Amino acid sequence: KQEVTQIPAALSVPEGENLVLNCSFTDSAIYNLQWFRQDPGKGLTSLLLIQSSQREQTSGRLNASLDKSSGRSTLYIAASQPGDSATYLCAVGTGGGADGLTFGKGTHLIIQP
Amino acid sequence: GAVVSQHPSRVICKSGTSVKIECRSLDFQATTMFWYRQFPKQSLMLMATSNEGSKATYEQGVEKDKFLINHASLTLSTLTVTSAHPEDSSFYICSASAADTQYFGPGTRLTVL
């Protein structure tokens, strides 16, 4: 059974710092990996989707990498801003659109002004 | 594009009553939809996979007679929590699958008194 672990569980950094969030998964036979943002009491905002054949994806200040063989992904946030404060969730998919995603517990990020 | 809506966004009900939650794909057709549940400070857990025109597939530990899922059309799936109890209070989120990507709804906060 796939298990997804995110480290750290919580992180608080001053504004402007670059930071890295980590995600690991136990079964490397994944179809894709996705990073989401969740604000308190809200739904999910998809940030980046990496297919299993890809190594990384970039969107603005965000960069996500994937090392499928070692079961790891990282989300890099450059020049952090207070508006980046949220919970970041990592999720892996195993069967394309036919299977549900397995989520990690998330990293609660606070960017101090 | 690829917008998923949920209704209602928030519902409060008395113990013993049933609650129906709708999930709609607004601008695309989805053969497969998924229902997730999120308890406070926990991650999303897949409850069931809903396929248009067929019975839903439930994850281990999810009672199919308590959580009734209907996927009668390519744009609508419903989750009915029957005889709700306080322990069913949670955040329920649906997703719809298109082109091997899942698009998430904004979620429904259920509170059972």
Side-chain angles (χ1 to χ4, degrees), chain A residues 1 6 31-32 34 36 38 41-44 46 49 51 89-90 95-106, chain B residues 10 32 34 36 38 41-46 49 51 60 91 93 97-107 109:
Chain A
K1 180 182 177 183
Q6 290 188 245
Y31 190 84
N32 55 32
Q34 205 161 352
F36 296 88
Q38 186 175 31
K42 303 294 184 181
L44 305 180
S46 179
L49 169 67
Q51 302 294 348
L89 297 169
C90 169
D99 292 343
L101 302 181
T102 302
F103 283 81
K105 290 186 177 181
Chain B
R10 186 180 298 268
T32 304
F34 303 91
Y36 297 83
Q38 185 179 35
K41 300 190 184 300
Q42 298 294 316
S43 191
L44 278 77
M45 297 295 292
L46 179 67
T49 301
N51 294 297
Q60 189 173 10
F91 193 53
I93 305 180
S97 181
D100 294 342
T101 300
Q102 289 189 33
Y103 299 92
F104 284 79
R109 173 75 59 190

Side-chain angles (χ1 to χ4, degrees), chain B residues 7 31 36 53-54 72 77 84 101:
Chain B
H7 178 81
T31 304
Y36 297 83
S54 64
S77 177
T101 300

Side-chain angles (χ1 to χ4, degrees), chain B residues 54-93:
Chain B
S54 64
K55 292 184 178 180
T57 302
Y58 292 81
E59 295 299 301
Q60 189 173 10
V62 178
E63 300 175 57
K64 63 178 182 180
D65 294 330
K66 181 171 185 60
F67 299 98
L68 302 180
I69 292 173
N70 184 275
H71 193 161
S73 77
L74 289 172
T75 60
L76 173 65
S77 177
T78 60
L79 168 68
T80 301
V81 183
T82 63
S83 187
H85 288 93
E87 57 265 30
D88 298 323
S89 298
S90 187
F91 193 53
Y92 292 86
I93 305 180

